[in-house]
Amino acid sequence: MTDDINSPTSGFNRRAFIAAAGTAVATPLVARAAGPAASSPVPQDASLRVNVTLRINGEIKSLTLDARTTVLDALREHIGLAGSKKGCDHGQCGACTVLIDGRRVVSCLTLALAAEGCDITTIEGLSKGGKLHPMQQAFIDQDAFQCGYCTPGQIMSAVACVQEGHANSDDDIREYMSGNICRCAAYPNIVAAVKQAAPEILKG
Ligand code: FES
Ligand code: FES
């Protein structure tokens, strides 16, 4: 998983996030001191609204989000791309895996703000011209799923696994795909799918 998007040269505007978050912390304190009654409801998120521009599957999306919105929630709840799945929401299952600047990340732990200026690729962006990506086709050919819930994350991770040069053996594939959990235990078929697709992906 990458932390490149947190580098000082990335599009992530830390100052904007910290300023927004700092305001959010301060607001309830001020409201409590000035408000008529301690039980008055305080709008919690108004001060956290930020404008975010994301590049998703080559398309620019301009959104106004709570600064704490993850890439996964931005995709699913605000853009309508529900292919990336929410499994654990804690960075442990890999169901939400997307590519950011070509590297796999768990989108449930990545702030949308942090991905500003980056290229985000989701499962919806893999096929080209109505033709499935070789990894998508390989998952079908090898029966590499049962319920399919983990499959979008598995496929995104598998694409990166090949591009990273980590698909040279079954052990390699198992090791570098180990962040993606399949509760249906389709692991042998997933390894077979990665092996099938790897040559085609690498030849470009
Ligand atoms: Fe993101 Fe499980 S939903 S890792
Ligand atoms: Fe069901 Fe993987 S196919 S969790």
Side-chain angles (χ1 to χ4, degrees), residues 27 76 131:
T27 300
R76 292 182 58 86
K131 187 171 186 288

Side-chain angles (χ1 to χ4, degrees), residues 44-93:
Q44 293 188 348
D45 301 332
S47 60
L48 276 170
R49 305 297 280 179
V50 291
N51 295 323
V52 183
T53 302
L54 299 176
R55 195 161 57 246
I56 300 163
N57 301 328
E59 281 185 37
I60 301 292
K61 301 283 182 188
S62 296
L63 306 166
T64 301
L65 302 171
D66 183 308
R68 299 163 296 181
T69 305
T70 62
V71 170
L72 180 60
D73 284 341
L75 290 170
R76 292 182 58 86
E77 310 298 334
H78 297 272
I79 297 171
L81 293 177
S84 307
K85 297 293 183 268
K86 184 176 282 190
C88 63
D89 210 18
H90 283 80
Q92 294 173 352
C93 73

Side-chain angles (χ1 to χ4, degrees), residues 144-151 154 181-186 190:
F145 49 83
Q146 289 182 40
C147 77
Y149 197 81
C150 72
T151 308
Q154 298 279 2
I181 307 300
C182 176
R183 294 189 195 282
C184 301
I190 291 169

Side-chain angles (χ1 to χ4, degrees), residues 19-35 40-48:
T23 309
V25 169
T27 300
L29 297 176
V30 171
R32 231 175 268 134
S40 296
V42 177
Q44 293 188 348
D45 301 332
S47 60
L48 276 170

Side-chain angles (χ1 to χ4, degrees), residues 1-4 98-105 160 164:
M1 306 296 164
T2 182
D3 58 5
D4 275 359
V98 300
L99 304 185
I100 295 187
D101 286 345
R103 300 182 67 179
R104 44 185 161 168
V105 302
E164 291 160 9

